[in-house]
Amino acid sequence: MTYVRLKGRGRPKAFERAAHRSLVYVIGLCGGKRLSDYTKADANAFCDALIKPGLTEFSIIRIFGTVWAVFNSAEAKEGLEISSPIANVCYDRNAGVSERFSLPAETSASFSNNLRS
């Protein structure tokens, strides 16, 4: 993948896995298409699909941002003059988002101490 080859040098393996996983989500939902064939409807459907499982807002932003970066990188590398369907997709940042709760300070400290042991 061009994006990983260009942007992934010196980054941890998690970078490459995240890029591949994010693209698998898009292709699984919208199908494998040429970049110029993806539409705003595809981008909106992808965003809606990320909201349904109750991911945290951070996860949605991270996955969507990765897809956006991959798309823009490929668009620039190939010299395509198309409008990115991913740009300016809006969504309700609270829809379907699960809230993560912080651990109490005592639990967090205990956990940290156990890791050091």
Side-chain angles (χ1 to χ4, degrees):
M1 167 189 332
T2 303
Y3 176 73
V4 172
R5 187 171 41 79
L6 294 175
K7 304 289 185 178
R9 286 201 180 123
R11 296 204 181 185
K13 267 304 220 192
F15 175 84
E16 182 176 347
R17 284 193 307 265
H20 283 280
R21 183 173 42 249
S22 296
L23 292 181
V24 166
Y25 294 156
V26 171
I27 293 168
L29 179 70
C30 303
K33 304 177 184 183
R34 295 182 327 191
L35 288 179
S36 59
D37 291 339
Y38 284 98
T39 65
K40 184 63 81 177
D42 290 327
N44 287 327
F46 176 62
C47 190
D48 291 345
L50 291 176
I51 291 170
K52 285 182 183 176
L55 295 172
T56 64
E57 178 184 357
F58 177 76
S59 294
I60 293 168
I61 291 169
R62 181 177 36 80
I63 294 167
F64 202 77
T66 299
V67 171
W68 188 347
V70 169
F71 188 95
N72 289 340
S73 176
E75 185 180 10
K77 176 72 173 156
E78 299 302 321
L80 301 175
E81 294 184 23
I82 59 176
S83 176
S84 173
I86 307 236
N88 302 316
V89 170
C90 298
Y91 67 93
D92 177 358
R93 291 183 176 246
N94 295 315
V97 174
S98 60
E99 187 176 348
R100 287 191 178 173
F101 298 98
S102 298
L103 290 173
E106 310 81 49
T107 305
S108 182
S110 173
F111 182 75
S112 296
N113 289 336
N114 287 339
L115 286 177
R116 291 185 198 127
S117 304

